[in-house]
Amino acid sequence: MKLNFFQVGSGPNLIFIHGLFGSASNFRTLAKQVSDIFTVYCLDLRNHGTSPHDNDVSYDAMASDVIEFM
């Protein structure tokens, strides 16, 4: 699944993943604060934000999505 994300900064990669009912936009301020140290990726998990929706919302499916993103 192709997850929606935004990227900011440069340096070692850092991925922010939101919690229940969250979205990538929850981390914009924090991502900008550490963007001088890291390349930050803020993800919308499946069925959240503007990422695609799917009937399978299991932790295994979401973990597989993140692994595919990496």
Side-chain angles (χ1 to χ4, degrees), residues 8-10 14 16 29-40:
V8 63
S10 62
L14 177 63
F16 288 160
T29 301
L30 182 58
K32 289 177 184 175
Q33 290 174 347
V34 298
S35 65
D36 56 333
I37 303 169
F38 297 102
T39 300
V40 182

Side-chain angles (χ1 to χ4, degrees), residues 34-61:
V34 298
S35 65
D36 56 333
I37 303 169
F38 297 102
T39 300
V40 182
Y41 298 89
C42 298
L43 306 182
D44 277 333
L45 296 177
R46 62 173 57 205
N47 297 4
H48 292 81
T50 58
S51 281
H53 286 238
D54 193 277
N55 288 334
D56 186 359
V57 291
S58 66
Y59 287 119
D60 286 339

